[in-house]
């Protein structure tokens, strides 16, 4: 029996081929009591933690909350989770106050006396818990506003925005809205309280804010409120932080009012205002009253300079079905005059928050959002001409869309890092000149990928409902973008929810990528005996070694063996990595050895064998060309 080998190994590439592909998923496993409008959307960053798994340290981590009222880690508490690029749990942190429904923001706001230490920090809100929670990259609390534990009011369904908005206080501030109608307000909190000084207004009490006594702890020591602004309606809208009138002061833009769609037990209520607050003082600069029988602005604003005049414009939808396009208080009159605002009727209650980007690659910025009639809309606003044009509408759902779009262009490794794109929560994606992809979920549980012309590229059913929004990044450094999103198994209570990581074929533009590693192939035919290359009773072995942190997916690794007989005939045998003919074993740090063994029963004297590796796929999605 003669032994020869031919293994075909072709160039490696990442999955998708124009389709969304599941790379991994992480199911949550707690108890679900109720639902509010939105779920916790994931945020991605290089946190510099790598306590589990073997992925490279420069891969990204994902931080996300959930709708679990009882997490699997301890009853009566929700949880924040940090999950690595392969879907393994790095750490969890109990919220201490029920569900972590707020979408976390990741930014450097702690350390070096508030000036930052180049180490990312995390902040999010809880509801039906009642604390805003700031914690470190390795899952330890920095501070909580307030220090209360256990179940409580439904307070912080809004998601925090982070920026240095007060030049008189070192470092960055946290701005978030309160979702309870009895405690409705916008709060500005100091990011780093390590100086132990109350840097904000003092003398707060129940007379100035009706729920003040519920915020247990000492102002300036346990947390530091710089200012708050009481609102008429409760807030689930996430504030955007930007200078909108070219006065050098960062403003806070937010909507008020929300009405229950899914049973929550919360205290919602109408509002319908679009507010602009001074970021330093918290004083109101202007407001707009929207319409409808139950006025509400549950979505979040997008802020961007779409016409290049140096002033930012504001975009936000409302319950009256209109998208509001606001040029800002250009004449500093303290109000938005008719010439400083345009509206376009899209229909239904608008829950989705706009994204701004050059989606069609023509060098101009467009506004994209889901509407109350199930359409994904693309709009262009011309502030100087006070006009709005609908470029296209694509129906992707039969229900109102709650998810907000995320944008990405080829060549950007972290295009959409968190809900609203960035810690300031502006919903603005700045690159121009390349057609972009739009990712958005629906309440039927589908994730859609739509191109800049409004054509559906792909969709994937992930659960019974999606009321969260995507993050997009090359989390595993394979040179292609991944999409992260949370789906719900059931929209009204129960659960569980699931975090999905989906592969795409959109290149991320990284200069160096971690793929499946170097593959080497060797024949391990038995040592010759009696002058022959092998003897009866011996197996024929071939091995494949590849140096990778990403182990092989045995059920998706395929081989073909062709056994040539001396009479010119041949037998062909196909098998996968789960076959009894194949074994995988570690041979060193990050290295795996695959051995193909053909038994004696298949072989005769004088046979020769060719084994072809048809396709090798790793657990994280790298494959050889089939």
């Amino acid at each position: 029996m003669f032994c020869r080998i031919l293994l075909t190994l072709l160039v490696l590439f990442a999955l998708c081929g124009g389709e969304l592909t599941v790379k991994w998923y992480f199911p949550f496993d707690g108890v679900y009591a109720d639902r509010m409008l939105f779920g916790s959307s994931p945020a991605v960053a290089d946190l510099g933690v790598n306590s589990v798994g073997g992925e490279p340290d420069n891969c990204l981590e994902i931080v996300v909350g959930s709708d679990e009222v009882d997490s699997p880690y301890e009853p009566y508490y929700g949880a924040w989770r940090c999950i690595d690029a392969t879907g393994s749990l790095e750490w969890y942190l109990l919220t201490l106050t029920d569900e972590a429904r707020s979408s976390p923001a990741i930014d450097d706001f702690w350390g070096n006396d508030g000036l930052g230490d180049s180490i990312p920090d995390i902040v999010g809100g809880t509801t039906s818990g009642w604390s805003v929670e700031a914690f470190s990259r390795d899952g330890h609390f920095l501070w909580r506003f307030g220090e209360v534990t256990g179940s409580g009011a439904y307070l912080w369904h809004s998601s925090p925005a982070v920026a240095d908005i007060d030049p008189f206080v070192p470092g960055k501030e946290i701005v978030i809205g309160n979702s309870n109608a009895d405690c409705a307000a916008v709060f500005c909190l100091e990011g780093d309280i390590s100086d132990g000084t109350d840097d904000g207004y003092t003398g707060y009490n129940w007379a100035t804010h009706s729920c003040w006594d519920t915020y247990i702890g000492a102002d300036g020591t346990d947390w530091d409120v710089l200012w708050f602004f009481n609102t008429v309606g409760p807030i689930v809208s996430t504030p955007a932080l930007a200078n909108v009138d070219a006065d050098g002061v960062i403003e806070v833009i937010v909507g008020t009012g929300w009405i229950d769609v899914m049973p929550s037990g919360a205290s919602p209520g109408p509002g319908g205002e679009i507010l602009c607050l001074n970021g330093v003082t918290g004083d109101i600069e202007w407001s707009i009253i929207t319409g409808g029988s139950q006025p509400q602005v549950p979505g979040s604003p997008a802020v961007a300079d779409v016409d290049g005049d140096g002033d930012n414009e504001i975009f936000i939808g409302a319950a009256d079905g209109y998208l509001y396009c606001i040029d800002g208080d250009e004449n500093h009159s303290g109000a938005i005059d008719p010439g400083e605002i345009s509206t376009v009727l899209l229909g239904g209650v608008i829950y989705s928050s706009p994204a701004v980007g050059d989606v069609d690659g023509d060098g101009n910025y467009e506004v994209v959002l889901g509407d109350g009639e199930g359409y994904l809309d693309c709009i262009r606003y011309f502030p100087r001409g006070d006009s709005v044009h609908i470029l296209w509408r694509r129906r992707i759902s039969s229900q109102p869309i709650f998810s907000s779009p995320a944008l990405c262009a080829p060549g950007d490794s972290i295009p959409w890092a968190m809900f609203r794109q960035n810690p300031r929560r502006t919903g603005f994606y700045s690159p121009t000149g390349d057609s972009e992809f739009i990712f958005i979920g629906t309440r039927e549980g589908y994730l859609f990928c739509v191109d800049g012309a409004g054509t559906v590229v792909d969709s994937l059913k992930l659960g019974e409902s999606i009321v969260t929004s995507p993050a997009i990044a090359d989390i595993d450094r394979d040179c292609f973008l991944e999409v992260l999103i949370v789906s719900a198994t059931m929209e009204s209570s129960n659960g569980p929810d699931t975090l999905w990581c989906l592969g795409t074929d959109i290149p991320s533009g990284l200069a160096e990528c971690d793929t499946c590693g170097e593959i080497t192939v060797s024949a391990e035919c038995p040592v010759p005996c009696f002058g022959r290359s092998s003897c009866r009773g011996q197996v024929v072995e071939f091995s494949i070694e590849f140096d990778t942190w990403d182990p092989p997916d045995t059920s998706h690794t395929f081989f073909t063996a062709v056994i040539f007989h001396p009479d010119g005939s041949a037998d062909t045998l196909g098998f996968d990595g789960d076959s009894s003919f194949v074994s995988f074993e570690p041979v060193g740090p990050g290295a795996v050895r695959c051995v193909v063994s053909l038994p004696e029963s298949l072989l005769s004297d004088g046979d020769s064998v060719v084994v072809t590796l048809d396709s090798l796929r790793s657990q994280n999605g790298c494959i050889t060309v089939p």
Side-chain angles (χ1 to χ4, degrees), residues 326-581:
I326 306 165
D327 197 13
D329 186 12
E330 298 286 306
N331 59 11
H332 301 282
S333 66
I336 299 299
D337 300 327
E340 296 171 334
I341 183 172
S342 297
T343 60
V344 57
L345 180 62
L346 301 176
V349 177
I350 298 179
Y351 299 96
S352 179
S353 304
V356 178
D358 181 15
V359 298
D360 58 9
D362 67 350
N364 300 302
Y365 289 121
E366 290 79 38
V367 182
V368 183
L369 76 160
D371 66 28
E373 296 182 343
Y375 286 91
L376 178 64
D377 303 302
C378 181
I379 293 145
R380 184 168 295 160
Y381 174 47
F382 299 90
R384 296 175 187 175
D386 192 27
S387 62
V388 182
H389 295 173
I390 297 178
L391 300 182
W392 51 259
R393 305 183 76 199
R394 178 66 57 201
R395 187 150 206 180
I396 59 173
S397 175
S398 62
Q399 302 184 56
I401 297 173
F402 284 46
S403 181
S404 299
L407 311 180
C408 67
D412 189 349
S413 63
I414 312 180
W416 205 272
M418 63 193 73
F419 179 58
R420 314 305 298 133
Q421 205 272 336
N422 56 69
R424 290 189 173 205
R425 309 291 198 178
T426 59
F428 176 47
Y429 185 53
S430 62
T432 59
D434 286 316
S435 182
E436 297 171 358
F437 293 94
I438 306 158
F439 292 90
I440 190 169
T442 70
R443 289 177 68 196
E444 292 91 346
Y446 285 89
L447 176 69
F448 277 83
C449 175
V450 179
D451 68 18
T455 301
V456 174
V457 176
D458 197 11
S459 65
L460 197 60
K461 176 80 167 176
L462 300 178
E464 293 305 309
S465 178
I466 295 177
V467 293
T468 64
S469 301
I472 309 171
D474 183 357
I475 63 170
D476 55 11
R477 299 185 62 84
D478 66 349
C479 274
F480 293 88
L481 293 176
E482 286 79 42
V483 180
L484 291 306
I485 196 165
V486 174
S487 71
T489 303
M490 291 182 66
E491 187 172 89
S492 57
S493 75
N494 296 326
D497 295 352
T498 300
L499 172 67
W500 297 87
C501 176
L502 305 171
T504 76
D505 62 352
I506 305 170
S508 66
L510 287 176
E512 297 182 3
C513 301
D514 296 312
T515 58
C516 292
E518 293 294 326
I519 294 180
T520 59
V521 183
S522 60
E524 296 190 358
C525 294
V527 176
C529 55
F530 305 109
R532 300 181 180 182
S533 63
S534 63
C535 299
R536 291 192 59 81
Q538 293 178 321
V539 298
V540 178
E541 294 189 350
F542 309 105
S543 70
I544 305 164
E545 293 186 17
F546 54 101
D547 183 16
T548 174
W549 57 271
D550 189 12
D553 180 351
T554 57
S555 63
H556 288 85
T557 298
F558 299 98
F559 303 85
T560 299
V562 181
I563 303 171
F564 296 94
H565 306 301
D567 62 3
S569 63
D571 295 321
T572 300
L573 180 67
F575 49 93
D576 63 24
D578 289 334
S579 165
S580 60
F581 304 153

